[in-house]
Amino acid sequence: MNTTPTIAPKQIPTAAEIQVWIVSYLADLLEVDSEEIEVTIPFDRYGLDSSAAVGLTGDLEDWLGCELDPTLLYDYPTVEALVQHLNSELKAKS
């Protein structure tokens, strides 16, 4: 009898889940309520410097379980643009 536990494939987060994660991360970083984060405002308007951007990308990479380019926030400068990009990338990989 095989007693090896089966591991279910990791569920790919939805665009909404990715957005909630990023908004929560920014809210914690900026010490504001999540409701104060506007998804169409560029990250640099929130005062994110390069080290904060790399930190966000690294933590997001850990959460998603896939490698991300640390410059993503420059290529996709709003929460909305980043979420759309990540959602399409994750769907393409599944």
Side-chain angles (χ1 to χ4, degrees), residues 10-11 14-15 20 23 28 31 40 49 62 65-66 68 73 82 92:
K10 187 174 182 199
Q11 186 86 20
T14 64
V20 166
V23 167
D28 286 347
E31 299 179 349
T40 57
D49 60 11
D62 291 344
C66 65
L68 300 175
L73 271 60
L82 182 59

Side-chain angles (χ1 to χ4, degrees), residues 12 84-94:
I12 297 171
Q84 288 173 355
H85 168 73
L86 291 171
N87 189 47
S88 63
E89 286 291 306
L90 291 170
K91 282 182 177 177
K93 290 180 182 180
S94 65

Side-chain angles (χ1 to χ4, degrees), residues 51-68:
S51 66
V54 169
L56 186 154
T57 306
D59 289 343
L60 185 57
E61 186 176 84
D62 291 344
W63 181 69
L64 292 172
C66 65
E67 194 169 322
L68 300 175

Side-chain angles (χ1 to χ4, degrees), residues 1-50:
M1 184 166 132
N2 185 356
T3 58
T4 306
T6 57
I7 299 171
K10 187 174 182 199
Q11 186 86 20
I12 297 171
T14 64
E17 291 169 331
I18 296 169
Q19 182 170 307
V20 166
W21 189 96
I22 295 171
V23 167
S24 295
Y25 186 97
L26 286 175
D28 286 347
L29 186 69
L30 301 171
E31 299 179 349
V32 297
D33 288 332
S34 294
E35 295 81 37
E36 294 182 46
I37 304 296
E38 179 58 52
V39 298
T40 57
I41 291 179
F43 290 111
D44 61 2
R45 294 255 310 269
Y46 285 111
L48 262 63
D49 60 11
S50 58

